[in-house]
Amino acid sequence: MAKLAVVLFNLGGPDKPEAVRPFLFNLFNDPAIIEAPALVRRALAWLISTRRAPIAREIYAHIGGRSPLLELTGLQGESLQTALGDDVKVFIAMRYWHPLTEQTVAEVKAWGPDRIVLLPLYPQYSSTTSGSSLLAWQRKAAAAGLNAPSVSVCCYPTEGGMIAAQAALLADALAQAGQGARVLFSAHGLPKKIIERGDPYQIQVEMTAAAIVKALARPDLDWQVCYQSRVGPMEWIGPATPDEIKRAGSEGKPLVVIPIAFVSEHSETLVELDIEYAHLAKEAGVPAYIRVPALGTHPAFIEALASLVRRSLLSGCNPCSEHGGRICPQTATRCPHGVGTI
């Protein structure tokens, strides 16, 4: 039987306090994050990571001094491998901390697959996330002589099983919140200039939120897409999640917050949403603040990933969206199916 390797991509996270600064350096040294000549980018990455490391270590201290992302991604990989059956092996490649792309390329090559499916755990495509991970894989695989045919899944913002899972989790939270609750669909933000250059991320985040609302079949639902995790002085896309929390408080609205761009728990959910924003909500007078869990190993989500793998092998496209070809409007010039492809 043909051997299939499936590679799951995610951001990665520090596995101990001492790893925080090098993790941040790797993040800010990525040309997809800071578009500058290599020497300038490295100097900026060193400066930013050195300054931000103490703050970041304090954040990770709330969750044991380390990120749980690798372990949680491992559980997703195990569930996906079970769903796909025999002759399939799932690997993990993290962008900014171990196992880094080069290590995973070596592991996949040693296993000797006949085909490879590259599957980012970012439902919404951005050049800064999926694009960066897939480009790094292409470069490292070429350098290592990994020649097995590969196909990449670029995005799946409205994939049916994923939307069903999110809608079910949201419905449970709404039942707890009672009447009149507002839903905040919170996603990681991006600098506005990245979106203005044609990155499709914001468009796809809005697609995800609209699909979840449609699946709930609640036309009267009070909801808002918003963005968290802003850093630095530049202008970011909005509205900002903290501003929406304050608005809800001023209006006496209970809140249900659902992370729609994170499929696993990590610092942005466990600390930013659960601790910092919960505290902000209390201070702002929000009557109730309920956070919906990330998708994790929800069976409908795992089956959605398995379906994406199967369809990508049969579709003949590369990269493959949830529908095969392009799903972005033409204004999204950094869509991997258009100008500036990965």
Side-chain angles (χ1 to χ4, degrees):
M1 296 290 291
K3 295 168 64 177
L4 172 66
V6 177
V7 183
L8 299 180
F9 296 90
N10 214 324
L11 185 77
D15 51 11
K16 55 188 174 182
E18 296 79 8
V20 170
R21 196 203 66 78
F23 164 76
L24 292 174
F25 176 83
N26 290 343
L27 171 67
F28 291 107
N29 193 40
D30 183 354
I33 304 298
I34 295 180
E35 296 182 353
L39 290 177
V40 174
R41 187 177 65 253
R42 287 183 64 85
L44 288 172
W46 183 90
L47 179 63
I48 296 169
S49 62
T50 301
R51 288 182 173 179
R52 286 192 58 81
I55 300 170
R57 276 193 289 267
E58 288 182 13
I59 291 172
Y60 284 106
H62 289 288
I63 51 175
R66 59 196 296 275
S67 171
L69 189 59
L70 178 58
E71 289 82 358
L72 295 175
T73 306
L75 293 175
Q76 290 171 322
E78 292 171 8
S79 298
L80 178 59
Q81 187 164 307
T82 298
L84 290 170
D86 297 335
D87 302 308
V88 178
K89 187 170 182 179
V90 176
F91 298 82
I92 296 170
M94 295 298 189
R95 186 66 182 95
Y96 304 119
W97 203 240
H98 307 292
L100 294 166
T101 305
E102 186 173 8
Q103 176 184 338
T104 308
V105 165
E107 292 173 355
V108 172
K109 184 180 179 182
W111 190 62
D114 298 294
R115 297 190 70 181
I116 304 170
V117 173
L118 308 175
L119 179 57
L121 289 175
Y122 307 104
Q124 303 88 10
Y125 178 87
S126 173
S127 58
T128 63
T129 54
S130 299
S132 176
S133 292
L134 293 170
L135 183 59
W137 179 270
Q138 291 168 1
R139 289 172 173 168
K140 296 297 184 181
L146 176 56
N147 299 318
S150 68
V151 58
S152 61
V153 177
C154 60
C155 56
Y156 43 101
T158 62
E159 176 66 23
M162 182 187 75
I163 296 300
Q166 288 177 315
L169 293 169
L170 178 55
D172 289 343
L174 284 168
Q176 297 176 48
Q179 295 294 320
R182 174 175 296 152
V183 176
L184 297 185
F185 293 98
S186 188
H188 197 291
L190 278 180
K192 194 173 181 180
K193 67 178 183 180
I194 292 176
I195 300 299
E196 290 174 343
R197 292 172 184 166
D199 193 287
Y201 174 73
Q202 186 173 16
I203 293 168
Q204 294 198 3
V205 165
E206 293 169 356
M207 290 168 63
T208 301
I212 296 170
V213 172
K214 183 177 180 181
L216 281 174
R218 288 187 49 176
D220 61 334
L221 187 68
D222 181 358
W223 61 282
Q224 174 67 54
V225 176
C226 50
Y227 298 90
Q228 63 183 92
S229 310
R230 174 179 174 174
V231 294
M234 66 187 71
E235 185 178 2
W236 282 50
I237 57 176
T241 305
D243 292 343
E244 287 302 311
I245 292 172
K246 293 174 186 176
R247 181 167 75 93
S250 70
E251 297 173 1
K253 282 277 189 180
L255 282 179
V256 174
V257 181
I258 175 170
I260 59 168
F262 306 123
V263 301
S264 299
E265 306 291 1
H266 60 309
S267 63
E268 277 86 353
T269 60
L270 299 173
V271 179
E272 192 169 18
L273 291 181
D274 288 355
I275 298 176
E276 296 174 0
Y277 289 179
H279 179 70
L280 175 61
K282 185 176 180 180
E283 284 192 331
V286 174
Y289 179 90
I290 298 173
R291 204 268 288 181
V292 179
L295 288 165
T297 56
H298 191 292
F301 176 56
I302 296 300
E303 182 51 41
L305 295 179
S307 178
L308 286 165
V309 170
R310 298 184 192 107
R311 297 202 310 266
S312 69
L313 290 169
L314 298 173
S315 66
C317 58
N318 192 20
C320 292
S321 73
E322 60 189 34
H323 298 307
R326 184 183 180 107
I327 62 173
C328 299
Q330 292 301 314
T331 53
T333 54
R334 290 197 176 186
C335 168
H337 293 272
V339 178
T341 59
I342 56 174

